[in-house]
Amino acid sequence: MTESIEILIIPGDGIGSEIVAVAEQVVKRVAAREGIELSLEHALLGGIAIDTCGTPLPVETLEKARNARALLLGAVGGPKWDDLPTLERPERGLLGLRSELELFANLRPAILFEPLAAASSLKAELVADLDILIVRELTGGIYFGEPRGITVVDNERVGVNSYVYKEHEIDRIARVAFDLARKRGRRLCSVDKANVLEVTQLWREVVTEVGRDYGDVQLSHMYVDNAGMQLVRAPKQFDVLVTGNMFGDILSDVAAMLTGSLGMLPSASLDREGRGLFEPVHGTAPDIAGQDLANPLATILSVAMMFRYSLDAPGAADTIEKAVHAVLDAGYRTADIYVSTVPETRRVGTREMGDLVLDRLEAGP
Ligand code: NAD
């Protein structure tokens, strides 16, 4: 008998429970269709974990996470917990999970679904058929560097964060990016600020050294300010981008807007063995939580990434992505991607959008 694969479902806060409930149905349906035996566990993280267990990352959640092959997360945080000290906030739970599991490689695709071209802030011809992948280092850099904090020096407050990368951290993320570029358009652009920051001079050197093992991938380098500009000027020039934690955080949100909506963007965070955390790029959207307004497609597309990268089931991933395409092609839109001037489209809520995707999965390829 084949052993079932453990998946940990973590709804989190805000719209998390709404979008994850829908995505969980997709997980079950696709697994059944493809004959993949999964066992689903559930856990708390973020604000709801603070309220229930007094900590954003309960020990039980971490234990379940260590046993799981893949984690499906909604998002964490919200105004209720905004006044807590930085180290006790919901986001700490997520940062802790990523670093405890050594999920160092964050994959953020920005793909423009053709029927949504009207929702992009750029001209349709600049973004039509856009398909870029941002690979962001996730467990190092300035978000984790020591020393950090706010102290008083000479009678005034001084804020400090440290931008630190060790050679092996750059090497391993570069290899992930080169491997992915190899499976796509064989072009990799490494983004840094090597004209100013020594830490990114090392970044550039190590990426260049790793590149010698990937002669079939064309490597280029770009300063982060230029990369931001190029992403909005001519985004289709890129195939795969690789960069550090902070630059990746910012650039992937820029890329997000090219595609029209945060509600459409999935992400994956992987460790060295392919274990992964899969989550939408967006946050908990407290302004629309509990109103059946959230777009569940980013989470559903994160499920597709889960099947592709952690469960080694690319066929299942394709099936989900095709179902999402079919629903958009048929004109269904949640509020965030609805443009009233586009004919033959209809606004739907979170649950109906989920049901429509499930119907398309049922219908088969
Ligand atoms: P957000 O992504 O939650 O929302 C930004 C805007 O996009 C809002 O207007 C929201 O309604 C909309 N939006 C987001 N997701 C949507 C969806 N699926 N469908 C439709 N509309 C959607 O960002 P924010 O407002 O800056 O943050 C809110 C909370 O989320 C904060 O507490 C923040 O810390 C947290 N957050 C968590 C994560 C995470 O868990 N990975 C990421 C970002 C923000």
Side-chain angles (χ1 to χ4, degrees):
M1 206 178 86
T2 50
E3 247 183 65
S4 63
I5 305 168
E6 265 188 42
I7 307 292
L8 185 60
I9 309 274
I10 309 175
D13 307 313
I15 58 170
S17 53
E18 297 169 72
I19 53 178
V20 167
V22 165
E24 187 174 345
Q25 297 306 313
V26 173
V27 173
K28 288 180 181 159
R29 190 71 60 88
V30 172
R33 231 186 88 129
E34 304 279 323
I36 302 171
E37 200 172 319
L38 302 179
S39 107
L40 305 186
E41 285 277 341
H42 294 81
L44 303 177
L45 186 78
I48 189 172
I50 294 173
D51 291 352
T52 316
C53 316
T55 168
L57 176 53
V59 178
E60 194 194 353
T61 298
L62 192 54
E63 262 168 29
K64 284 182 177 173
R66 287 193 208 283
N67 292 331
R69 173 69 185 165
L71 289 71
L72 178 65
L73 170 68
V76 297
K80 183 175 178 192
W81 305 280
D82 275 352
D83 295 331
L84 290 173
T86 311
L87 296 179
E88 293 167 26
R89 289 167 60 109
E91 294 79 358
R92 278 286 132 187
L94 182 51
L95 292 175
L97 198 57
R98 286 172 179 163
S99 78
E100 287 289 333
L101 298 181
E102 287 192 67
L103 304 172
F104 67 92
N106 185 218
L107 279 48
R108 291 192 175 194
I111 295 172
L112 187 82
F113 288 79
E114 209 274 326
L116 299 185
S120 172
S121 48
L122 294 195
K123 290 191 205 102
E125 66 264 28
L126 285 182
V127 288
D129 299 322
L130 179 76
D131 180 0
I132 60 182
L133 177 63
I134 298 187
V135 180
R136 165 187 170 197
E137 200 290 327
L138 203 58
T139 53
I142 197 163
Y143 293 173
F144 291 93
E146 298 282 349
R148 63 185 300 154
I150 301 173
T151 51
V152 176
V153 179
D154 294 336
N155 286 327
E156 66 172 339
R157 285 173 298 159
V158 178
V160 176
N161 287 93
S162 303
Y163 194 166
V164 185
Y165 268 121
K166 293 183 182 160
E167 200 174 347
H168 79 271
E169 294 174 308
I170 306 170
D171 184 286
R172 65 183 182 180
I173 191 73
R175 285 183 196 282
V176 169
F178 274 109
D179 283 337
L180 289 163
R182 210 169 230 177
K183 291 185 195 145
R184 297 171 39 104
R186 293 177 186 265
R187 285 181 298 117
L188 177 64
C189 177
S190 171
V191 176
D192 60 42
K193 189 72 182 169
N195 49 342
V196 179
L197 299 170
E198 285 83 352
V199 51
T200 71
Q201 284 165 13
L202 178 67
W203 177 281
R204 189 176 282 218
E205 276 172 36
V206 175
V207 173
T208 305
E209 284 156 24
V210 172
R212 296 197 185 106
D213 293 342
Y214 294 84
D216 53 333
V217 177
Q218 186 194 324
L219 172 65
S220 60
H221 302 274
M222 197 177 274
Y223 296 140
V224 62
D225 41 347
N226 188 24
M229 208 160 67
Q230 295 301 330
L231 270 176
V232 287
R233 194 187 70 85
K236 284 196 272 183
Q237 70 184 281
F238 297 112
D239 176 21
V240 180
L241 290 117
V242 63
T243 190
N245 206 341
M246 177 171 59
F247 296 161
D249 193 2
I250 299 163
L251 292 182
S252 54
D253 274 11
V254 173
M257 278 329 291
L258 302 177
T259 67
S261 169
L262 271 172
M264 293 299 303
L265 291 166
S267 81
S269 307
L270 306 177
D271 75 359
R272 209 181 273 277
E273 269 82 48
R275 186 225 309 255
L277 169 68
F278 300 85
E279 55 178 323
V281 165
H282 61 73
T284 56
D287 51 334
I288 57 166
Q291 300 170 46
D292 196 41
L293 283 174
N295 184 347
L297 294 180
T299 317
I300 291 173
L301 292 168
S302 302
V303 171
M305 291 186 87
M306 179 177 96
F307 278 101
R308 178 169 291 121
Y309 293 112
S310 277
L311 305 185
D312 200 18
D318 289 345
T319 303
I320 297 169
E321 285 161 0
K322 279 186 191 139
V324 170
H325 268 282
V327 170
L328 293 172
D329 270 338
Y332 297 103
R333 306 281 187 270
T334 43
D336 57 312
I337 52 173
Y338 178 72
V339 179
S340 59
T341 49
V342 177
E344 292 175 37
T345 53
R346 184 161 85 73
R347 241 175 102 153
V348 296
T350 310
R351 285 192 296 269
E352 187 175 356
M353 186 55 108
D355 288 343
L356 288 161
V357 173
L358 287 173
D359 286 349
R360 299 308 187 279
L361 291 172
E362 206 70 83

